[in-house]
Amino acid sequence: VPVDGSHWLSMREVLDILGQKGHEVVVVAPDVSLHIKPSKNFVMKMYSVPYTLEEMEQDFKAFLHTSFEEGSFLERFLKVYEGMKRLGNMSAGSCQGLLQSKELM
């Protein structure tokens, strides 16, 4: 069960090699993702999440942009905190989607 981003990019190499060596690899992932994509080296099992790709992209871009904005420490801290809350809510929604998937559970 990978996390989108650098965690997945590192994990994917390992999974591809395991699949090439004949291991059966199953990746359980949300149906909305920036980087987690199917491969011939593993089986994908998807589950629904309560957000769109556009919302996900927008929240990640806003968070990254906020991290490099100028302003007082307090202003920047509050903006980063709000961005982290949005991304945290997205992660919680992804967990709920997985737990509510009767097929995968």
Side-chain angles (χ1 to χ4, degrees), residues 16-35:
D16 278 334
I17 291 168
L18 287 171
Q20 290 169 5
K21 292 186 177 208
H23 295 277
E24 183 179 349
V25 179
V26 178
V27 174
V28 177
D31 60 356
V32 173
S33 171
L34 296 174
H35 302 289

Side-chain angles (χ1 to χ4, degrees), residues 6-79:
S6 61
H7 298 92
W8 167 249
L9 298 175
S10 298
M11 182 189 287
R12 183 184 173 123
E13 288 185 44
V14 173
L15 300 180
D16 278 334
I17 291 168
L18 287 171
Q20 290 169 5
K21 292 186 177 208
H23 295 277
E24 183 179 349
V25 179
V26 178
V27 174
V28 177
D31 60 356
V32 173
S33 171
L34 296 174
H35 302 289
I36 304 171
K37 305 293 181 220
S39 167
K40 63 180 173 143
N41 295 317
F42 51 79
V43 174
M44 293 279 297
K45 300 278 186 172
M46 311 290 270
Y47 59 91
S48 296
V49 291
Y51 51 83
T52 66
L53 181 60
E54 292 77 24
E55 291 169 326
M56 184 181 205
E57 287 175 335
Q58 180 182 355
D59 283 349
F60 271 106
K61 285 179 185 176
F63 180 74
L64 290 174
H65 178 73
T66 299
S67 300
F68 296 103
E69 280 185 356
E70 293 188 21
S72 74
F73 172 78
L74 183 58
E75 288 173 328
R76 289 182 295 131
F77 176 83
L78 291 174
K79 286 180 180 179

Side-chain angles (χ1 to χ4, degrees), residues 55-56 58-61 63-64 81-93:
E55 291 169 326
M56 184 181 205
Q58 180 182 355
D59 283 349
F60 271 106
K61 285 179 185 176
F63 180 74
L64 290 174
Y81 175 74
E82 286 301 317
M84 290 179 75
K85 275 183 18 183
R86 282 193 304 276
L87 295 176
N89 289 338
M90 197 172 289
S91 290

